[in-house]
Amino acid sequence: MPSLDAFWMPFTPNRQFKAAPRLVVSAEGLAYRTADGREVLDGTSGLWCVGAGHRHPRIAEAMKRQIDTLDFASNFQVGHPGAFALAERIAALAPPGLDRVFLVNSGSEACDTAMKIALAYWRSRGEGQRNLFVGRERGFHGVGFGGISVGGMTNNRRAFGGAMLRADHLRSTWDPRTQAFARGQPAEGAAMADELEARIVALHDASNIAAVIVEPVAGSTGVLVPPVGYLQRLRAICDRHGLLLVFDEVITGFGRLGAMFAAQAFGVVPDMILFAKTVSNGAAPLGGVIVSRKVHDTVMHGPPHLAELMHGYTCSGHPLACAAALATIDVLEQEDLPGRVRELAPHFEAAVHSLADAPGVVSVRNIGLAAGIELAPLPGEPGRRGAEVQAAVFDRGLLTRAPGDTLVLAPPFISTRSDIDRMVAMLRAAIEDPPPSSRGAP
Ligand SMILES: Cc1ncc(COP(=O)(O)O)c(C=O)c1O
């Protein structure tokens, strides 16, 4: 067992973790195995990545073949077939009009890349003054400086304020008065989108705005589902004022809502789609931006010997990641995993909403295979109750994630009804038998 000292863990209370480590050493299908031999169900699909389940044999085989053929080639000046094949495949899955794909290694890079593409697009059109981005409160777009600028999670922004890009933010779509126990899309609230026109365009003027960037469903702040008609209204306002609309589908892309993209599930086509996570089933780091032909073609100019966009990463389109993603897309299609999500979603919805009467639960919301179960915070200690229940449920055999006091459940697409029931039963048990500090809380 190595010492735990040197590794500075991301987004983790390091001192607390190292005092009581939770180490997993292997995984298969729905479950991890811990260092002490216990099975832990993966209720987060490995941070929203592993829709097809851990160590899917087709994905593992494809990666083994790739490493024995071409371990690495960059895509600067040379290219390799995997990246071209993957881009073509993703373009074919995307909504019509979006058929150019820039590959990166993560969701954060995808967001910063899309922001650069937006700036390059406007500059190519002679409108370089359009450099203000519009995000949304409680949005998460990764941790690059672009992503935190449009993002709306206070804790991720607090320490880095001076380095932000120019951004304004729509209000979050969350309205506890009407949505606390909403099933699927809340019926009311489409008009929240009007703020884009009535306040933000009115204040800054459309001629200064580069793009509007939103998650179709805000995932990292606890699954906030857009009201019926909200995304359509955003699209209409962007069209009226000539603004680019970017969907961050890092969580929703590749099946989570029962369609390949949320754009298709909601019937709204943006100008760019960000993806990562499920695209490679988490087996290798990969992300990207799907770009409309119009935006792409506008940037394709300048002297032929110079790169049109001075941007890219050494590992953009890494052969191993491309092999993993091509195999993942095969699996998503051949096993019809989006169809399985659609089939399982009503059972999942009923199961998570059965927690509505558990002690301290103040909200349950869901869509596709994603749900947020929110607990009332402990007085004066926001986030503590969520963290404690998350730790308690891990001890019972379920990995969840707790942004603040909301427990997020996002099971793999291959889950069965009884897997879902087991997960929800463990959650209930942990909520009903809380750790000492949460006892007696409302
Ligand atoms: C919507 C969204 N965008 C971007 C990111 C960042 O992705 P990554 O952690 O791969 O940089 C995440 C990560 O959870 C996300 O949920």
Side-chain angles (χ1 to χ4, degrees), residues 106-108 140-142 215 220 248 250-251 277:
S106 67
S108 302
F140 182 59
H141 305 287
E215 301 162 88
S220 295
D248 181 340
V250 165
I251 280 177
K277 295 191 187 269

